[in-house]
Amino acid sequence: MRIRSSALTAALAVTALALTGCSGAGADDADADGGPYRVLVTGGISGQGALAANAQTSVLAAKASAEAVNRAGGVGGRQVEITVVDDAGDATTAVSKLREAIASGKKPDLFLNSGPSTITTATLPILAQNKILSFNIGPTEDSANPEKYPLNFDLASGPSENAETIARYIKGKGYQSVGVVHGSSAYGEVFGQAMEDALGGEGVSSTGSEEYDTAALDMTAQLQSLKNRGTQALVVDAYGAPLGYLLTSLQRLDWNIPLIGNTSVAGTSLVSKPAPDGVLGTPATANLVMHALSSTVYDANDTAVNTMVDNMTAMGDIPSTLILADNYDALPLVVAAANKTGSSSDPEALAEALENQEVLDGAETAFSPSYHFSADSHASKPGDEAYKFVPPSPLLNGQYGNPSA
Amino acid sequence: MTIVWSGLALGAVYTLVAIGYNIVFISSHTFNFAQAQLMMVGTFVAYTGLVTLKLPILVVAVTATVAVMILAGIEEIVAVRPVRDHQNQLVTTLGAATLINGATQLIWGSEPLTVPFFGSNDPITVLGGRTYPVEIVLLILAVVLVVALGRVGTKTMTGLALLGISEDREAALLRGVNVRALALGAFAFSGALAGFLGLFVGPKTFAVATLGSALAIKGFVALAIGGFGSLPGALVGGLTVGLVESFAALELGSQYSNIAVFVVLITILMVRPAGLFGRTRERVV
């Protein structure tokens, strides 16, 4: 009898929960254009390696942006409510957290993925199925394809865009016989191929692309192989400790050639700290320039970027470079789209507005000076003028080149 | 020759991890999955002592040795002693490794930290190839430790007692060997060694929270190639892994270097299932 009554209690509880869930969904509808504008941000805050510090910067950027947008009246009049979840850089955790948020009856209006492309791959189908507008900083092969994911926009430029910008820089410098060394990460592999294609597209001869295992402690063999092929300039993809191993291996080979680091290199703290903490000022970085968005480089006259930095530092220290502060631009873009559509509750209408260049030009973005989403592509495509090639220097508030650093 | 030096230097690091595995394995048949993480903690303590606190090298060496020795002792008491079954100890030491990984990240953060070497940091040319002084020191340390610990294991009463525990714990108990104390001692010693070696491994690898995971697998492969319980095997296994890894990356591409290492491992295990220096017969102690 006791068992039966327990079963009955459980059944009642389940029914009650189900009804609560239904009422939650109803509340969701009622919230449209009325309640808070819910933003779910995932990041690998407790992730391994350099991932954690960069995730913290991403989350800080989202929070600072929400604060600024709320001060200016919110998204279509709705105050932004940010929920941050730590996915530890793990796609399974990110998916679980996203599903929990959707099932909670408080479905997010906007999803910001602050993690690597593996998380983008895992979360995009769920977001599409639930018609949730999203921005991500870890582009994948099809994340910018509106036919597949009409409600997703890539804030970060993809490997191909980055590679093309670097290839144009290399051509401008007159370098020939250029080699590429890249990690075995998902991004590294795509970047390696994209870089070779881009060099070919610019008519620069390539000596090949060498991959290294991201868990390896030495890259001498890969570099020796490129050196043997007559490489005269080297494009480098390395993030965290592997960058240190790569620079050490270059010194071991006594190989002094121009090094062009991609944004992964610019996102590694080793290059911004003088010895003994880092490698800044050592011969290892003497030939290095890094590809970075202009917001990662200090400019006293750039009001938008300086306001972004002030807003972020007002909420906490910026723990890494600004290269992963992309999230700062997501809300201004949505605000501009909501102003165009007159509503913030229809993700499809907002996405359509974001394909309008007038809307994009009117958005008060700071991380990137411009975005060029279109009906054919949701890639950010900021253009060459949005980038700089900078030598390593100490960081101040996540930026290179600040004389006060 | 430069590739040879880079392979040997990598191999020396793997050997040092494998030696730590062996000390615990010989004494108690336990495989301590957290050994590489203990060495990683040693690199962080070395960084804090040398860079943050700017302490003299000898003080840092003692601090790193004692700190990691205590950590290893705690691991033995918490994660190994209460679990009698060696298979289950694999799980608990793996748990300890995960905990240590998380704790180091909390304490020292996630960015790589440069551990300075007390000698020169400039590459030198030796026998026609370029290498770093710290890499030569790592190689020398690996050889010296294998020889010295091998002699301790066979020529001292403590070493023989440890071998006895490894062969038959109950028989050793009946012969009056303090099994608990010696097992704890071996664990603590492997930790002390890992802490001390952090001072030399750190300048080669940086102090970084991912180091433990990177070293653990290759250290294990070195052990399997050389044979569980064999110190010379650890040296040969470690250097083999380092050289195969480097030459495969040069000749075949790095996507094949890990495959090449495992092909060598499987080939050796097919010919000698106990590893190159592993023993299938019981030892006479």
Side-chain angles (χ1 to χ4, degrees):
Chain A
M1 189 63 191
R2 191 173 290 167
I3 292 170
R4 265 192 209 166
S5 64
S6 299
L8 182 64
T9 310
L12 284 171
V14 169
T15 311
L17 280 172
L19 289 171
T20 312
C22 290
S23 68
D28 226 16
D29 294 340
D31 276 354
D33 274 2
Y37 188 80
R38 295 190 188 101
V39 180
L40 180 67
V41 186
T42 61
I45 299 164
S46 61
Q48 290 271 301
L51 181 69
N54 284 330
Q56 286 157 23
T57 301
S58 292
V59 169
L60 181 64
K63 285 180 174 174
S65 177
E67 185 85 1
V69 164
N70 282 340
R71 276 201 305 270
V75 177
R78 295 163 67 188
Q79 288 288 291
V80 176
E81 183 183 281
I82 288 230
T83 304
V84 176
V85 296
D86 179 9
D87 61 26
D90 177 61
T92 311
T93 310
V95 164
S96 306
K97 299 285 186 187
L98 174 59
R99 286 199 186 280
E100 271 175 34
I102 292 168
S104 71
K106 291 182 175 178
K107 192 170 90 172
D109 295 289
L110 178 67
F111 179 77
L112 302 179
N113 164 28
S114 310
S117 51
T118 46
I119 291 180
T120 309
T121 305
T123 53
L124 276 186
I126 302 165
L127 293 165
Q129 189 184 18
N130 289 280
K131 294 194 186 309
I132 296 172
L133 187 67
S134 65
F135 290 89
N136 83 80
I137 65 172
T140 64
E141 206 173 335
D142 50 12
S143 59
N145 180 356
E147 282 183 19
K148 195 162 183 188
Y149 299 117
L151 300 183
N152 181 68
F153 295 83
D154 287 349
L155 286 175
S157 43
S160 300
E161 266 179 276
N162 286 330
E164 284 162 14
T165 314
I166 293 172
R168 284 191 283 273
Y169 170 82
I170 285 169
K171 189 182 181 187
K173 284 282 179 184
Y175 298 144
Q176 283 296 328
S177 301
V178 176
V180 184
V181 62
H182 64 86
S184 58
S185 64
Y187 181 88
E189 286 183 1
V190 178
F191 176 80
Q193 184 57 54
M195 198 62 239
E196 278 211 273
D197 294 345
L199 289 172
E202 292 297 324
V204 177
S205 63
S206 165
T207 55
S209 177
E210 283 288 325
E211 182 177 305
Y212 61 84
D213 184 347
T214 49
L217 305 175
D218 192 298
M219 285 98 189
T220 306
Q222 290 85 344
L223 295 171
Q224 179 76 66
S225 179
L226 285 166
K227 191 179 181 187
N228 292 348
R229 283 179 241 150
T231 301
Q232 291 168 358
L234 194 61
V235 179
V236 175
D237 161 70
Y239 186 49
L243 176 62
Y245 304 142
L246 203 138
L247 294 174
T248 309
S249 300
L250 271 167
Q251 272 192 294
R252 181 208 298 278
L253 290 170
D254 198 18
W255 198 19
N256 297 306
I257 57 163
L259 300 175
I260 302 105
N262 68 2
T263 47
S264 302
V265 174
T268 300
S269 69
L270 267 182
V271 294
S272 61
K273 292 179 189 166
D277 283 352
V279 294
L280 179 64
T282 65
T285 58
N287 300 325
L288 176 67
V289 292
M290 303 173 297
H291 178 232
L293 268 173
S294 51
S295 54
T296 313
V297 185
Y298 177 74
D299 178 354
N301 299 318
D302 195 334
T303 312
V305 172
N306 293 333
T307 303
M308 173 178 86
V309 170
D310 289 344
N311 287 339
M312 287 177 71
T313 51
M315 300 192 78
D317 289 337
I318 300 171
S320 66
T321 61
L322 279 180
I323 65 156
L324 287 181
D326 315 55
N327 281 342
Y328 192 87
D329 283 354
L331 283 166
L333 286 166
V334 176
V335 168
N339 290 343
K340 170 78 174 172
T341 60
S343 166
S344 60
S345 61
D346 183 351
E348 282 160 339
L350 290 172
E352 197 180 329
L354 286 168
E355 293 168 350
N356 182 331
Q357 194 56 48
E358 260 183 52
V359 171
L360 297 170
D361 291 342
E364 293 178 4
T365 60
F367 173 75
S368 177
S370 57
Y371 290 89
H372 297 95
F373 304 130
S374 68
D376 297 326
S377 169
H378 287 182
S380 61
K381 294 180 185 162
D384 283 2
E385 63 279 3
Y387 293 100
K388 287 181 178 169
F389 287 84
V390 289
S393 68
L395 280 178
L396 182 64
N397 296 329
Q399 290 181 301
Y400 290 104
N402 191 324
S404 305
Chain B
M1 193 62 196
T2 300
I3 295 295
V4 173
W5 282 124
S6 85
L8 288 175
L10 272 178
V13 177
Y14 301 149
T15 299
L16 295 174
V17 177
I19 288 171
Y21 284 143
N22 259 337
I23 291 170
V24 174
F25 186 80
I26 290 170
S27 64
S28 59
H29 260 214
T30 300
F31 184 81
N32 180 16
F33 258 118
Q35 185 63 39
Q37 275 71 16
L38 293 176
M39 190 176 276
M40 175 184 76
V41 173
T43 65
F44 278 114
V45 176
Y47 169 82
T48 304
L50 292 171
V51 178
T52 311
L53 303 175
K54 296 184 172 50
L55 297 172
I57 183 88
L58 277 176
V59 177
V60 177
V62 172
T63 309
T65 304
V66 173
V68 184
M69 183 178 77
I70 293 170
L71 186 62
I74 294 170
E75 187 198 348
E76 201 275 340
I77 293 166
V78 174
V80 175
R81 192 176 293 184
V83 188
R84 292 212 172 269
D85 185 59
H86 293 310
Q87 277 78 22
N88 290 337
Q89 283 171 355
L90 291 180
V91 179
T92 54
T93 56
L94 189 61
T98 309
L99 270 176
I100 294 170
N101 268 342
T104 48
Q105 193 153 323
L106 275 177
I107 297 168
W108 285 283
S110 51
E111 296 286 353
L113 305 169
T114 307
V115 181
F117 179 53
F118 51 83
S120 167
N121 287 312
D122 297 326
I124 52 172
T125 302
V126 182
L127 302 174
R130 281 170 67 83
T131 183
Y132 286 91
V134 69
E135 295 180 339
I136 300 289
V137 173
L138 284 169
L139 260 173
I140 293 169
L141 273 172
V143 174
V144 167
L145 276 172
V146 165
V147 173
L149 292 173
R151 287 192 69 80
V152 168
T154 52
K155 304 289 180 196
T156 67
M157 285 304 290
T158 309
L160 290 171
L162 286 170
L163 288 175
I165 297 170
S166 170
E167 293 297 335
D168 193 328
R169 187 184 170 90
E170 286 181 6
L173 265 171
L174 289 172
R175 293 292 298 270
V177 176
N178 189 342
V179 171
R180 271 190 144 193
L182 274 179
L184 175 64
F187 231 95
F189 178 69
S190 75
L193 197 60
F196 175 73
L197 291 173
L199 207 65
F200 302 91
V201 172
K204 160 84 181 150
T205 64
F206 296 96
V208 60
T210 50
L211 181 63
S213 315
L215 293 181
I217 295 173
K218 295 288 168 60
F220 177 80
V221 174
L223 194 65
I225 287 177
F228 279 73
S230 166
L231 288 167
L235 180 65
V236 173
L239 298 183
T240 303
V241 172
L243 287 170
V244 169
E245 200 179 322
S246 289
F247 276 100
L250 177 68
E251 302 297 339
L252 307 171
S254 77
Q255 54 273 52
Y256 297 103
S257 69
N258 281 339
I259 296 170
V261 168
F262 284 99
V263 165
V264 170
L265 170 68
I266 289 165
T267 307
I268 288 172
L269 293 185
M270 282 171 74
V271 178
R272 288 185 62 87
L276 289 174
F277 293 79
R279 298 158 64 127
T280 48
R281 287 189 303 114
E282 288 192 355
R283 283 177 292 228
V284 178
V285 181

